[in-house]
Amino acid sequence: MSRVTGRLLSRHSRVMTPPIRRCMASKASTSYAAITHPEDNASLSEAYLSKIASHSAYLTNTYARPPLILSHGKGSWVYDAIGRKYLDFSAGIAVNALGHGDEEVAQLAGEQAGRMIHTSNVWYNEWAGELAKLLVETTVQHGGLGFAAGGKEKRGEGGAKVFFSNSGTEANEGAMKFARKYGKERWAAEMTNGVGAARKWEDSTKTRVIHFTNAFHGRTMGSLSATANPKYQLPFTPLIPGFDLVKYNDVDGFRATINEDTCAVIVEPIQGEGGVFEGSIEFFKTLRKECDRVGAVLIFDEIQCGLFRTGNMWAHSSFPLDCQPDIITMAKPLANGFPIGAILVRDYIAQSITPGSHGTTFGGSVFATRLAHHVLTRLSSPTLTGHIRSIGSHLDSRLSKLPSYFPDMVKEPARGRGLIRGIPFVDHSVPAKLIDEARRRGVLLLTAGKDAVRLVPSLNVERAEVDFAMDVIESVLGTMQSKN
């Protein structure tokens, strides 16, 4: 137990206030100095404030940013334009899997930029096919998409193929298009009127998409239509028609909603933006069974929870085969910050995707796919996957103590698993306050949904960095508790 947490065991004990204590970083006696970052105007230089004002004058006002201009980073740490240091426990919103300033990624990027950056998809390039092969083979090895780990068993016939995009929302848009085309063709292939008259696929009613509460699938119009949050949706109504909302984890509600007109079901195995909620095995088994019954495509959005964030390649890698999807969408960590997304789709769906069905100018560029091939190779190495599981277990041990330390504030154990975790609070005003105070003490965090603070650090984060972040969180909560 750390000295900070020990002090917080009793509600009447003296609560630590900033600056936080020195946090020992390793057995080698490396240490992080106590950090405080005042953010009032008097503490910031006129030049710094002027630059923020200048940027604000030319950038659209779609983000409520604190007075912080990030300059560079190394590993899990970032620095702002005046040298202030922060532990980045947001990893660029679960993007920087290998941290900041990775030397291997930087060297590879420079080398590839000197060779070729873009060619378009009119031609093959050297790396898109190699990355697609790696994604498919690594999925078969680790399990997911209907393949049991090791590839000895699989659900359905055939293998899988990949379409590359530039982002997660583009991947979700493409996946829903794939599902709709597949559904219409399947509908048209059936015979009607009892006399063998073929249906025309353009007359198909198999177009509806089921989505779930608390989901976040993106901000383009199709993905936004599957993101049931009034804050995001209402300013842009009317949305795309044909979307049916079901409560997440509600088996009976799902059964009552799905029907023969459903072409797709899109769901996150672990919801990120919506609050770090995790679906049950029973829930996913029901999704799979009912999709099979009506001929709908099951899409797992693993943009935030996939690619080893849970310790497994996919959040659903360990699920039984009768709980697994037809399509996986991914993006965030795939190239460690360079924009790329991908749709991993089983062959029986991919056969409907023919020339002209979909496209992208920048997706699958030789530059993005070479970087992603390197990143995925490192993420899937036994050394790093073992590290992720070990660090995830340590983080869990720290998080598990919060409800007993702060019983009036932390309402239940942290949600999620591995290195995607959400700390839920009774008072919904606490997450924003905790994030502000933690930033002033040198740790960058995120909110999730209405009630939680989200922890999504780089996947190579060190044990001592986890302790530093948790010591800051406990220190801030202790200060807040003492004021109540």
Coordinates of all heavy atoms in Angstrom, one line a residue, residues 41 45 53 70 89-90 114 127 173 201 283 288 297 305 353 362 376 385 399 460 475:
N41 N -4.4 32.7 -15.3 CA -3.7 33.6 -16.2 C -2.5 34.2 -15.7 O -1.5 34.5 -16.4 CB -4.7 34.7 -16.7 CG -5.7 34.1 -17.6 OD1 -5.7 33.0 -18.0 ND2 -6.7 35.0 -18.0
S45 N 2.6 32.8 -19.1 CA 3.2 34.0 -19.8 C 2.3 34.6 -20.8 O 1.4 34.0 -21.3 CB 4.5 33.6 -20.5 OG 4.2 32.8 -21.7
A53 N -4.9 32.3 -27.7 CA -5.9 33.2 -28.2 C -5.9 33.2 -29.8 O -6.9 33.2 -30.4 CB -5.8 34.6 -27.7
L70 N 0.3 21.4 -26.2 CA 1.3 20.3 -26.2 C 2.3 20.4 -27.3 O 2.0 20.8 -28.4 CB 0.6 18.9 -26.3 CG -0.3 18.6 -25.1 CD1 -0.9 17.2 -25.3 CD2 0.4 18.7 -23.8
F89 N -2.3 9.7 -19.5 CA -3.1 8.5 -19.2 C -4.4 8.5 -20.1 O -5.3 7.7 -19.8 CB -3.5 8.5 -17.7 CG -3.1 7.2 -17.1 CD1 -1.7 6.9 -17.0 CD2 -4.0 6.3 -16.6 CE1 -1.3 5.7 -16.4 CE2 -3.5 5.1 -15.9 CZ -2.2 4.8 -15.9
S90 N -4.3 9.3 -21.2 CA -5.4 9.3 -22.2 C -4.9 8.7 -23.5 O -5.7 8.2 -24.3 CB -5.9 10.7 -22.5 OG -4.9 11.5 -23.1
G114 N 10.6 9.0 -47.4 CA 11.6 9.2 -48.5 C 11.4 8.3 -49.7 O 12.0 8.6 -50.8
W127 N 2.6 -2.4 -49.0 CA 2.3 -2.8 -47.6 C 0.9 -3.0 -47.3 O 0.6 -3.6 -46.2 CB 2.9 -1.7 -46.7 CG 4.4 -1.8 -46.7 CD1 5.3 -1.1 -47.4 CD2 5.1 -2.7 -45.9 NE1 6.6 -1.5 -47.1 CE2 6.5 -2.5 -46.1 CE3 4.8 -3.7 -45.0 CZ2 7.5 -3.3 -45.5 CZ3 5.8 -4.5 -44.4 CH2 7.1 -4.2 -44.6
E173 N -18.9 3.4 -41.0 CA -19.7 3.7 -42.2 C -19.6 2.5 -43.2 O -20.6 2.1 -43.8 CB -19.3 5.0 -42.8 CG -19.6 6.2 -42.0 CD -21.0 6.7 -42.1 OE1 -21.8 6.2 -43.0 OE2 -21.4 7.6 -41.4
W201 N -33.1 -6.6 -55.9 CA -32.5 -6.2 -54.7 C -32.8 -4.7 -54.3 O -32.8 -4.4 -53.1 CB -30.9 -6.4 -54.7 CG -30.2 -5.6 -55.7 CD1 -29.9 -5.9 -57.0 CD2 -29.7 -4.2 -55.6 NE1 -29.2 -4.9 -57.6 CE2 -29.1 -3.9 -56.8 CE3 -29.7 -3.3 -54.5 CZ2 -28.5 -2.6 -56.9 CZ3 -29.1 -2.1 -54.7 CH2 -28.5 -1.7 -55.9
F283 N -25.6 -11.8 -23.5 CA -26.1 -10.8 -24.4 C -25.5 -11.0 -25.8 O -26.2 -11.0 -26.8 CB -25.6 -9.4 -23.8 CG -25.9 -8.2 -24.7 CD1 -27.2 -7.9 -25.1 CD2 -24.8 -7.4 -25.2 CE1 -27.4 -6.8 -25.9 CE2 -25.0 -6.3 -26.0 CZ -26.3 -6.0 -26.4
R288 N -25.7 -13.0 -31.6 CA -25.3 -14.0 -32.6 C -26.4 -14.9 -33.1 O -26.6 -15.1 -34.3 CB -24.1 -14.8 -32.1 CG -23.5 -15.8 -33.0 CD -22.7 -15.2 -34.2 NE -23.6 -14.8 -35.3 CZ -23.2 -14.1 -36.3 NH1 -22.0 -13.5 -36.3 NH2 -24.0 -13.8 -37.3
V297 N -26.1 -9.2 -40.3 CA -24.7 -9.1 -40.1 C -24.4 -8.5 -38.7 O -24.9 -7.5 -38.3 CB -24.0 -8.3 -41.2 CG1 -22.5 -8.1 -40.9 CG2 -24.2 -8.9 -42.5
C305 N -11.7 -0.6 -27.9 CA -11.3 -1.7 -27.0 C -10.5 -2.8 -27.6 O -10.0 -3.7 -26.9 CB -12.6 -2.3 -26.4 SG -13.7 -3.1 -27.6
I353 N -18.9 -7.5 -51.8 CA -18.2 -6.2 -52.0 C -17.3 -6.3 -53.3 O -16.3 -6.9 -53.2 CB -17.3 -5.8 -50.8 CG1 -18.1 -5.9 -49.5 CG2 -16.7 -4.4 -50.9 CD1 -19.5 -5.2 -49.5
F362 N -7.5 8.1 -49.7 CA -6.3 8.0 -48.8 C -6.2 6.6 -48.1 O -5.1 6.3 -47.6 CB -6.3 9.1 -47.8 CG -6.1 10.5 -48.4 CD1 -7.2 11.3 -48.5 CD2 -4.9 10.9 -48.9 CE1 -7.1 12.5 -49.1 CE2 -4.8 12.1 -49.5 CZ -5.9 13.0 -49.6
L376 N 1.5 -3.2 -35.3 CA 0.8 -4.5 -35.0 C 1.7 -5.6 -34.7 O 1.5 -6.4 -33.8 CB -0.2 -4.9 -36.1 CG -1.0 -6.1 -35.9 CD1 -1.8 -6.1 -34.6 CD2 -1.9 -6.4 -37.1
T385 N 2.3 -8.3 -25.0 CA 1.0 -8.8 -24.5 C 1.1 -9.3 -23.0 O 0.2 -9.0 -22.2 CB 0.5 -10.0 -25.4 OG1 1.4 -11.0 -25.4 CG2 0.2 -9.5 -26.8
L399 N -7.3 0.1 -8.6 CA -8.6 0.6 -8.7 C -9.6 -0.1 -7.8 O -10.6 0.6 -7.3 CB -9.1 0.3 -10.2 CG -8.4 1.2 -11.3 CD1 -8.8 0.6 -12.6 CD2 -8.9 2.6 -11.1
N460 N 2.3 0.3 -23.4 CA 3.6 0.0 -22.8 C 3.9 0.9 -21.6 O 5.0 1.1 -21.2 CB 4.8 0.2 -23.8 CG 4.8 1.6 -24.5 OD1 3.9 2.4 -24.1 ND2 5.7 1.8 -25.4
S475 N -5.1 11.2 -4.4 CA -4.9 12.5 -3.7 C -5.9 13.5 -4.0 O -6.4 14.2 -3.1 CB -3.5 13.0 -4.1 OG -3.2 14.3 -3.6

